[in-house]
Amino acid sequence: WRPRENRDLFHLGFASSQDSMYLATLRAANKKSSVLPLLVASRAKTTFSGNKGLHVRESLIFEKANDERTGVEFEQAPEPKKGNRLGGLERTETIGLPGISEGLAVRHYVKLSKLNYNIDQGIYPLGSCTMKYNPRVNEKVARYPGFSAIHPLQPMKTAQGALEVIYRLQEWLGKLTGMERVAMSPAAGAHGELCGMMCIRQAIEDRGEADQRKIVLVPASAHGTNPATAVMCGFKPLYLEAKADGRIDLEDLKSKMNDNVAAMMLTNPNTCGLFEREIADAAEILHKNGSFFYCDGANFNALLGRVKVADLGVDAMHINLHKTFSTPHGGGGPGSGPVVLSHRLAKYAPISYVEKTEEGSYKLIECPTETGAATVGRIKGFHGQMGMFVRALAYCMAHGVDGLRQVSGDAVLNANYLSERLRGTFSHAYPNERCMHEVLFSDHFLKGTGVSTLDMAKALLDEGYHPFTMYWPLVVSGAMLMEPTETESKESLDAYADTLIHLVKEAKSGNKQMFKEVWKW
């Protein structure tokens, strides 16, 4: 419990702390606040129900089940006149689902939902995840019946509005990246990676080099999906070395260039939160070698409205709508990972996609013979995540180009503000570098305290915050990666930073026990 001004007060008791020490800790944490603790209950206090105020114990749904109870009742099916057609496969046991009424089911899942941390509750500083606030106007528009009740198999003439949404979002993404073609169907970031690498593989096959070009270069700091995607597409990942400043080593890249290299997969800004300054030079080296450049667009939030990746020599890049363009993720809804392709790969874009006719209507291209393009084919059952397209387009239209530029600027500003607030307390992984949208720390400041990165993360949970990304990227000891995003206020960042600084002081003061305590509920 860390009471602060203008924040709700609640009590959480510790199982192994002394009440006197607990009171002292509360007073110390509260010394700068005019708010005093309202109630400190004994850690041994219990209730008849097992609940602690609004913290309610909840049984498994199977423990609540009753075989005589159901939320749905069907009429008894008549016996077939000529016997059934199950061929001896009639069910001999119960279906295995809990017998529970609608009301009990709703209560059960609402109670469980209250145990989840979410972006509407507070800062969600997971590094490389861009857990930004999702504007409610996006949700309102996505729920319009014309979008929410549409079906992918209905006639195109009755879905012109939806097709226009897809087409206009294609235009936005194409102009923001400068790329020639946009594939909208990938269902998430990793699926987008697969799509982009499939296009690269198809281009290599068309050149008759499929048996030769088998190597994909990947930095050691890459997202794990990068080497996994390369393997799924039949390539072999080979790691690139990094320099002391956290960026790829261009000399190492040159040394690995040969006729076996198919592509390089690189995130920019990289997962250390740093902009790859030599990215255009790297692209030139790759292209001279006949190789392709795949850019992981997970961190596009830092470049939005400021850099066109086409100008950097990128051949393919996925865009996480559920990150950069604020559509819900982290359990809040399906992802969406459109892929932008350069002129080198445009003809390999998967189907389906939307084109605008001369008459001004919109046409869904679902067959390769309609265009004559050497497409990689269909990679999804239908046309992409329609609900996410609506939300992302609403986000773009609400911000405008200037607003999207401010989004990336504020994201970088917030990360650097947090970096400076924690300077001198945390150990910067790259202390002489300005970060982009996220800041990376190592665990060196915890040496000798007996407190680990995991302990710090759990202590943040105790304080009511979602922890940072921990132990990743792997290139930094005990990594702590924090991405505040542009939607956090200065007050929010200060409260989070104050908590982190307090925890470090406790660790360095020798209060190791504080990080090892287990709550008793």
Side-chain angles (χ1 to χ4, degrees):
W1 179 24
R2 183 176 60 84
R4 292 185 60 84
E5 293 179 347
N6 304 321
R7 294 172 74 94
D8 292 336
L9 301 180
F10 60 94
H11 170 70
L12 296 174
F14 293 107
S16 58
S17 64
Q18 297 296 321
D19 288 343
S20 58
M21 183 185 297
Y22 183 51
L23 276 169
T25 303
L26 288 176
R27 293 184 188 280
N30 197 44
K31 61 185 179 182
K32 294 183 179 180
S33 172
S34 60
V35 181
L36 295 177
L38 302 182
L39 172 66
V40 177
S42 166
R43 57 187 168 84
K45 181 177 179 179
T46 60
T47 59
F48 175 78
S49 63
N51 300 331
K52 296 290 181 68
L54 295 178
H55 297 276
V56 179
R57 295 176 63 90
E58 182 64 8
S59 304
L60 296 176
I61 195 166
F62 287 93
E63 296 174 333
K64 294 173 171 287
N66 184 330
D67 290 341
E68 303 301 321
R69 183 191 298 128
T70 180
V72 181
E73 190 170 348
F74 297 100
E75 292 184 11
Q76 185 66 34
E79 289 292 331
K81 296 180 180 179
K82 297 182 180 180
N84 65 51
R85 292 178 288 176
L86 297 177
L89 297 178
E90 297 90 338
R91 181 177 295 281
T92 58
E93 299 177 354
T94 61
I95 195 172
L97 295 176
I100 194 164
S101 68
E102 178 181 323
L104 287 177
V106 170
R107 285 183 180 178
H108 174 74
Y109 288 107
V110 167
K111 288 175 183 176
L112 293 184
S113 73
K114 291 182 177 180
L115 300 177
N116 287 337
Y117 192 86
N118 56 79
I119 192 62
D120 293 338
Q121 188 172 330
I123 184 173
Y124 213 124
L126 277 174
S128 209
C129 290
T130 316
M131 303 294 286
K132 64 171 71 177
Y133 173 73
N134 308 140
R136 287 304 177 266
V137 64
N138 302 355
E139 302 302 316
K140 180 178 181 180
V141 175
R143 284 166 171 75
Y144 288 164
F147 298 131
S148 62
I150 201 168
H151 195 283
L153 293 179
Q154 68 188 66
M156 281 192 288
K157 65 180 181 181
T158 68
Q160 285 295 298
L163 295 179
E164 182 179 355
V165 165
I166 299 175
Y167 183 82
R168 291 181 66 179
L169 184 57
Q170 285 177 186
E171 286 191 313
W172 272 93
L173 300 181
K175 289 178 180 178
L176 287 168
T177 60
M179 301 289 259
E180 186 168 314
R181 174 59 65 86
V182 183
M184 297 296 290
S185 57
H191 196 202
E193 278 184 29
L194 181 64
C195 169
M197 291 304 292
M198 285 174 65
C199 292
I200 289 174
R201 185 184 64 184
Q202 186 69 46
I204 290 173
E205 288 178 354
D206 282 1
R207 295 193 320 213
E209 300 175 341
D211 293 333
Q212 174 184 341
R213 294 189 183 269
K214 290 290 188 180
I215 301 297
V216 170
L217 301 174
V218 182
S221 62
H223 292 104
T225 52
N226 290 180
T229 299
V231 171
M232 286 188 69
C233 288
F235 298 112
K236 180 181 178 180
L238 178 64
Y239 284 109
L240 281 172
E241 297 296 329
K243 296 185 295 185
D245 66 358
R247 298 173 175 88
I248 60 169
D249 187 338
L250 217 57
E251 293 305 314
D252 186 54
L253 175 65
K254 292 177 182 177
S255 71
K256 290 184 166 100
M257 279 295 106
N258 56 50
D259 293 341
N260 297 324
V261 176
M264 176 182 71
M265 300 181 77
L266 177 70
T267 307
N268 196 30
N270 65 30
T271 59
C272 298
L274 305 173
F275 187 82
E276 294 282 357
R277 299 192 187 102
E278 298 177 304
I279 185 172
D281 295 330
E284 185 177 355
I285 293 169
L286 288 161
H287 293 151
K288 284 183 178 179
N289 190 62
S291 308
F292 293 92
F293 179 13
Y294 183 91
C295 184
D296 184 325
N299 296 335
F300 189 53
N301 202 54
L303 307 181
L304 194 57
R306 295 175 182 271
V307 177
K308 291 187 176 182
V309 295
D311 297 336
L312 303 178
V314 172
D315 291 308
M317 182 182 81
H318 76 268
I319 298 173
N320 298 87
L321 297 187
H322 49 286
K323 294 175 66 175
T324 305
F325 294 91
S326 85
T327 68
H329 74 308
S336 185
V339 174
V340 291
L341 301 167
S342 71
H343 64 278
R344 301 177 187 89
L345 297 175
K347 66 180 181 179
Y348 302 111
I351 53 175
S352 59
Y353 54 87
V354 177
E355 287 186 349
K356 191 173 183 178
T357 67
E358 294 181 357
E359 295 76 24
S361 61
Y362 297 92
K363 182 180 180 181
L364 192 64
I365 306 299
E366 297 189 83
C367 181
T369 57
E370 295 182 66
T371 62
T375 175
V376 295
R378 183 180 289 277
I379 64 171
K380 194 174 188 299
F382 290 108
H383 323 307
Q385 310 286 37
M386 186 64 207
M388 301 303 111
F389 296 160
V390 176
R391 290 171 172 86
L393 181 60
Y395 184 79
C396 291
M397 295 177 68
H399 281 79
V401 175
D402 56 338
L404 294 178
R405 180 181 173 86
Q406 184 179 345
V407 162
S408 59
D410 289 349
V412 173
L413 176 64
N414 276 1
N416 278 276
Y417 179 74
L418 183 61
S419 172
E420 292 306 310
R421 277 298 320 271
L422 299 178
R423 190 174 294 278
T425 302
F426 278 64
S427 303
H428 285 72
Y430 304 98
N432 298 322
E433 301 291 334
R434 285 288 181 187
C435 67
M436 291 292 285
H437 63 301
E438 58 191 354
V439 56
L440 178 61
F441 301 101
S442 73
D443 62 354
H444 293 311
F445 67 96
L446 293 174
K447 298 300 182 184
T449 64
V451 176
S452 67
T453 292
L454 178 60
D455 293 331
M456 285 290 293
K458 289 183 176 181
L460 267 180
L461 287 171
D462 293 348
E463 295 284 351
Y465 287 100
H466 196 288
F468 39 74
T469 295
M470 58 181 184
Y471 298 114
W472 189 83
L474 302 176
V475 294
V476 170
S477 172
M480 305 176 204
L481 185 61
M482 305 177 191
E483 182 183 2
T485 82
E486 75 281 0
T487 57
E488 294 302 324
S489 66
K490 180 177 180 296
E491 291 78 11
S492 171
L493 295 177
D494 282 335
Y496 176 66
D498 288 345
T499 304
L500 289 169
I501 292 169
H502 167 72
L503 293 175
V504 175
K505 288 179 178 178
E506 290 294 323
K508 290 187 173 182
S509 70
N511 190 6
K512 176 181 175 181
Q513 184 62 27
M514 169 185 172
F515 295 87
K516 306 298 182 182
E517 289 170 327
V518 179
W519 290 357
K520 180 179 180 181
W521 291 94

